[in-house]
Amino acid sequence: MNTPLHVRFLRTMYRLVVDNFLAIAAVAAAAGAVQRTSPEAALALVRAVRPVHWLLALLGAAAAAKLRRLGRPKDVYLVEYGCFRPKAWFRAPFSTCLEHAHLMPYLVDEESVSFAIRLLERSGLGEETCVPEAYHYMPPDRSLKASRDETELVIFSAVDDVFARTTIKPEEIDVLIVNCSIFTPTPVFADMVVNRYKLRADVQNVNLSGMGCSAGLVSVGLAKNLLQVAPPGTNVLIVSTEILSSQYYVGTERAMLLPNCLFRMGAAAMILSNSLERARFKLTRAVRTVTAARDADYRCVFQEEDDKGNTGIRLSKDLATTAGHALKSNIAAFAPLVLPASEQLLVALSFLKRKLLSGRAKVRLYRPDFRTVFEHICIHAGGRGVIDEVQAGLGLSDEDVEASRMTLHRFGNTSSSSVLYELAYIEAKGMMKKGDRVWMISFGAGFDCNSVAWECLKPAADADGPWVDCIHRYPVQLPEIAKDISDS
């Protein structure tokens, strides 16, 4: 429904006045002072100040500004990012999934097959999502070698892509952070990257595991903390992925079949730095919220064995609701850091109204409009239900969540790398402009929620990324399907 013109005008005037209240008050005070002072008196006051005093005042202001800059943490920038783009032969259309399931009757019964196909049809995934080569075998190859082969394919492709997009060389990398939740071999992925790209012997490397789909933004938060205290010119390489080959669930527990249906192969790499040179985005905020103290949240995404001894990831039917609750906690910490005064005032007034009318009337708290702060929002493509929950909770339009839905449709749930595929979608569509602000939201096992905000300094020069061969077909129209617990 279109907002009436006079309502939009009043909202604009309200935001203009409240967000610039101090400036307006200062101008009004200065105007009043000028009116009370004659030009002759003002000129005499200026002449009365000796030149040496003007010089000391300027030097003092410059020194104060310098000290303020020195005391402030260094700015952190995203230099470039790259994503793994799977070849067409890795595709897993629904018909192939159905055929393979029927050819493995001793692993999955007919009822489970029907459930999985219904889930796929409702999931928001398209026919071009891809799974590793190991999944194309019958039965799937869950060996260590298959997982290593998948790891080398997706990680090295993403890292090759990010180095090809920037002038930064492997020998300029000072810190390496690699995250993958389930599969953690020895040597770890970080050592695998060091070996492949012959990084320096003094490179600081960290390997994160067990954090689920939020690990990519957790890595950004870690890199931010390191870069703010590191010497100028420090570069951090972050690699985010989830390796599927060894994680295929062969049982019949429905809650544990969900990852087989939703997760797809993918990886992303990004280079962060505390130097503005060559940067494309500036990191403005990073907030992480952990709700693992609640038992239900802790067991929401849980790796365990079923009653027949088959290992898999159990996804709770309340996953979307849990994500919504975690997002509320995250917003409580994130919103005051990014929202303008006009939105924060409305939130405060609604809190006050609820307090005053407690017990006499039910007062809904004001839902802040984050679209006044961000031009683009990237919600982790965890599933149709998760995106629906966040869209409803934040009051977003279909256009606001287009990048998330289209990423889920084309690439599936690629875990911690999904928000980078979404950023690539926005840039491939030519929607990113200099000065645009981006909000990335991710959820992960634990349960936790992460918010990271960026400001665009320089949009991509072209759309040569994971969407290069299909962006002209997007956005696509998704079928209208009633919400189902399996959507989560």
Side-chain angles (χ1 to χ4, degrees):
M1 184 174 64
N2 292 328
T3 306
L5 182 61
H6 71 281
V7 174
R8 281 183 287 169
F9 174 76
L10 290 174
R11 284 179 181 173
T12 302
M13 292 304 298
Y14 164 75
R15 288 169 180 159
L16 183 65
V17 171
V18 175
D19 293 342
N20 300 280
F21 177 77
L22 291 179
I24 294 172
V27 171
V34 168
Q35 285 183 344
R36 292 191 301 270
T37 306
S38 66
E40 293 79 8
L43 185 59
L45 182 64
V46 171
R47 287 175 175 173
V49 180
R50 298 172 60 186
V52 66
H53 293 158
W54 285 116
L55 179 60
L56 290 174
L58 290 174
L59 290 175
K66 181 67 174 178
L67 289 173
R68 183 175 181 273
R69 283 196 300 270
L70 291 174
R72 189 179 63 185
K74 297 182 181 69
D75 289 330
V76 176
Y77 303 94
L78 172 61
V79 178
E80 193 52 271
Y81 65 96
C83 299
F84 166 70
R85 186 170 74 236
K87 301 296 185 181
W89 56 77
F90 292 112
R91 289 175 60 242
F94 297 170
S95 57
T96 300
C97 296
L98 179 61
E99 179 185 11
H100 281 210
H102 280 137
L103 291 173
M104 296 186 293
Y106 58 96
L107 293 179
V108 183
D109 58 50
E110 189 62 36
E111 185 179 353
S112 298
V113 171
S114 300
F115 168 78
I117 294 301
R118 289 198 309 273
L119 173 61
L120 276 174
E121 292 171 348
R122 293 170 173 266
S123 65
L125 274 68
E127 297 280 354
E128 294 183 89
T129 61
C130 296
V131 295
E133 183 179 3
Y135 276 26
H136 291 274
Y137 289 97
M138 294 173 286
D141 183 358
R142 299 191 295 159
S143 67
L144 182 61
K145 181 181 184 305
S147 295
R148 284 190 185 276
D149 290 344
E150 180 190 352
T151 301
E152 294 179 358
L153 172 65
V154 299
I155 285 183
F156 295 163
S157 296
V159 176
D160 287 345
D161 191 32
V162 75
F163 278 132
R165 294 173 179 276
T166 180
T167 55
I168 292 180
K169 304 301 180 185
E171 56 268 23
E172 297 179 72
I173 298 299
D174 303 287
V175 181
L176 170 65
I177 303 173
V178 184
N179 65 262
C180 179
S181 186
I182 304 298
F183 179 60
T184 308
T186 301
V188 293
F189 293 161
D191 294 326
M192 185 185 297
V193 174
V194 171
N195 177 261
R196 167 69 178 232
Y197 296 94
K198 308 305 178 188
L199 303 186
R200 302 196 317 265
D202 63 343
V203 66
Q204 304 297 306
N205 61 345
V206 180
N207 207 92
L208 304 180
S209 62
M211 294 182 174
C213 304
S214 68
L217 297 190
V218 172
S219 299
V220 170
L222 174 58
K224 165 181 167 287
N225 293 338
L226 293 171
L227 287 169
Q228 287 183 331
V229 297
T234 300
N235 299 314
V236 178
L237 172 62
I238 297 175
V239 185
S240 299
T241 189
E242 193 62 67
I243 303 305
L244 307 179
S245 295
S246 62
Q247 307 308 317
Y248 193 90
Y249 174 65
V250 296
T252 59
E253 289 264 357
R254 291 191 175 187
M256 300 175 78
L257 282 171
L258 297 178
N260 287 2
C261 300
L262 295 176
F263 283 88
R264 295 294 184 265
M265 66 190 306
M270 47 185 156
I271 296 176
L272 272 62
S273 177
N274 54 14
S275 171
L276 178 59
E277 184 183 5
R278 299 177 285 194
R280 293 219 299 114
F281 291 86
K282 179 181 177 180
L283 177 62
T284 57
R285 297 292 179 187
V287 175
R288 182 185 181 198
T289 305
V290 181
T291 64
R294 297 181 62 219
D295 292 343
D297 289 17
Y298 172 68
R299 298 191 65 87
C300 188
V301 181
F302 208 82
Q303 184 181 23
E304 60 183 351
E305 296 175 335
D306 63 15
D307 54 3
K308 296 181 180 178
N310 299 308
T311 301
I313 303 294
R314 185 182 299 277
L315 301 183
S316 168
K317 62 183 177 61
D318 298 321
L319 175 58
T321 304
T322 301
H325 291 158
L327 180 61
K328 289 179 181 178
S329 299
N330 187 264
I331 286 177
F334 182 68
L337 302 176
V338 298
L339 285 177
S342 55
E343 289 296 304
Q344 295 196 49
L345 178 59
L346 291 175
V347 173
L349 290 175
S350 70
F351 267 112
L352 181 61
K353 185 177 179 182
R354 171 181 279 191
K355 188 75 173 177
L356 293 175
L357 298 179
S358 177
R360 285 176 286 173
K362 186 175 181 180
V363 178
R364 292 189 61 183
L365 292 177
Y366 173 74
R367 180 175 61 196
D369 186 358
F370 283 92
R371 289 170 297 185
T372 62
V373 187
F374 299 105
E375 286 74 27
H376 310 286
I377 300 177
C378 300
I379 305 164
H380 164 57
R384 189 168 188 159
V386 171
I387 298 173
D388 287 346
E389 186 78 18
V390 177
Q391 180 181 7
L394 296 179
L396 304 177
S397 67
D398 289 339
E399 289 74 20
D400 295 325
V401 298
E402 178 182 311
S404 301
R405 292 200 189 281
M406 296 308 107
T407 296
L408 180 64
H409 181 272
R410 174 60 184 86
F411 295 101
N413 181 350
T414 61
S415 190
S416 57
S417 63
S418 69
V419 288
L420 273 302
Y421 284 90
E422 294 167 27
L423 181 60
Y425 176 86
I426 294 168
E427 295 210 278
K429 295 296 287 185
M431 295 186 288
M432 186 70 69
K433 303 293 187 296
K434 182 179 180 180
D436 281 2
R437 296 153 298 179
V438 184
W439 180 14
M440 290 182 175
I441 306 170
S442 69
F443 306 95
F447 199 82
D448 66 18
C449 177
N450 292 265
S451 287
V452 169
W454 307 92
E455 180 184 346
C456 179
L457 305 178
K458 184 171 62 177
D462 53 53
D464 183 19
W467 297 89
V468 65
D469 57 352
C470 61
I471 193 62
H472 60 283
R473 294 188 272 110
Y474 283 87
V476 298
Q477 184 64 40
L478 300 177
E480 292 291 334
I481 300 174
K483 190 173 181 354
D484 187 90
I485 61 170
S486 62
D487 291 339
S488 63

